Amino acid sequence: MQDRIIELAYDLFSRIGIRSVTMDEIARPLGISKKTLYQFFPNKEALLTAALDQELKKQELLIDETIREADNAVEAFYNISEYVRNMHSQTNPIVIFEMERYYPKVFEHYLSFKKHCISHSIADFFRQGMKEGYFREDLDPQIIAKLRMEQFEYIFKPDIFPRAEFEYNHVCDQLFDHFMHGILTGQGRKIYQELKNNTENHNNKS
């Protein structure tokens, strides 16, 4: 039951927003009372923390798996970015804002994960890509990794890219394409273009 609660809560939080979802709205579809729900989680912040923890662990495992299975660093980075883009496309932009403003402890946990897990993982396969000859050898992996992580934050800021004016996927594609052409060598660009072509062909067939 606890896992079902967490799964449903994360789905509702990410689609609707944190403050808009009540504990009643989480309990009702599960066929339990709010009292029973509070036996598992004493308040919404505790439930939000558990839901975020589970999602971040999924992301960490996916990053590790993607790096292991990819033929090279360009493919790994491309596949991870595609996954993150698709995941964020289903997330209400207000969620990050609400965490930062109303749940600062949860937000600090989110930032810590970004800093210690995702940024370090990205920096590691930037180093791998440099050894493979696909990323420019003059890059500073730590700086470039942080820059890429911050790009995703820009996309969710309504004062920079309001959804009424900018289509989410188009913004993601533009930023990623600009970023990749800044870090790749000639060999790396060939692999990147092949990956882009394969994705476009697949989307056209779909």
Side-chain angles (χ1 to χ4, degrees):
M1 177 56 70
Q2 181 170 311
D3 290 340
R4 291 176 61 200
I5 293 171
I6 291 173
E7 184 177 351
L8 176 61
Y10 181 81
D11 176 65
L12 292 174
F13 290 152
S14 62
R15 287 190 297 106
I16 302 172
I18 303 166
R19 286 169 61 83
S20 298
V21 177
T22 66
M23 297 296 267
D24 277 324
E25 289 171 328
I26 295 171
R28 195 178 306 118
L30 296 169
I32 61 175
S33 66
K34 188 163 65 171
K35 182 179 179 181
T36 301
L37 178 57
Y38 280 124
Q39 291 176 357
F40 288 97
F41 301 99
N43 52 53
K44 188 190 287 187
E45 182 167 355
L47 178 51
L48 173 62
T49 300
L52 181 64
D53 265 341
Q54 180 168 288
E55 182 59 28
L56 294 180
K57 287 175 183 176
K58 285 182 182 178
Q59 292 184 25
E60 186 175 5
L61 289 173
L62 178 102
I63 289 172
D64 290 342
E65 181 180 355
T66 301
I67 292 173
R68 287 197 307 270
E69 294 183 352
D71 291 334
N72 53 68
V74 180
E75 182 181 343
F77 191 45
Y78 183 88
N79 290 341
I80 289 172
S81 295
E82 282 287 291
Y83 167 79
V84 173
R85 184 185 75 164
N86 293 334
M87 177 190 67
H88 280 179
S89 69
Q90 303 170 31
T91 302
N92 191 322
I94 200 173
V95 172
I96 302 297
F97 168 78
E98 288 184 337
M99 274 203 301
E100 183 175 9
R101 182 166 184 178
Y102 302 108
Y103 302 94
K105 290 183 180 178
V106 181
F107 186 67
E108 282 298 317
H109 179 58
Y110 166 72
L111 292 180
S112 178
F113 173 81
K114 279 182 54 179
K115 179 180 179 181
H116 297 293
C117 175
I118 296 182
S119 291
H120 289 175
S121 295
I122 292 176
D124 284 343
F125 67 70
F126 278 162
R127 294 185 184 94
Q128 176 188 337
M130 292 163 72
K131 291 179 181 178
E132 293 170 346
Y134 300 133
F135 294 165
R136 287 168 35 202
E137 62 181 15
D138 59 339
L139 296 178
D140 184 317
Q142 290 295 112
I143 293 175
I144 300 302
K146 287 179 179 293
L147 175 62
R148 181 55 184 161
M149 292 306 302
E150 290 307 311
Q151 280 190 335
F152 280 110
E153 299 302 317
Y154 299 155
I155 296 170
F156 276 87
K157 291 184 177 180
D159 57 326
I160 299 178
F161 294 113
R163 291 289 174 95
E165 298 179 32
F166 297 92
E167 198 271 323
Y168 170 80
N169 285 336
H170 181 62
V171 173
C172 288
D173 289 343
Q174 287 288 300
L175 291 179
F176 186 62
D177 197 58
H178 180 271
F179 181 84
M180 291 299 279
H181 280 287
I183 67 172
L184 294 172
T185 63
Q187 288 180 303
R189 288 193 184 96
K190 290 180 182 179
I191 296 174
Y192 173 57
Q193 192 59 51
E194 288 177 5
L195 292 167
K196 281 181 63 178
N197 292 341
N198 290 339
T199 299
E200 289 172 3
N201 291 336
H202 179 268
N203 291 339
N204 290 335
K205 289 180 181 179
S206 302

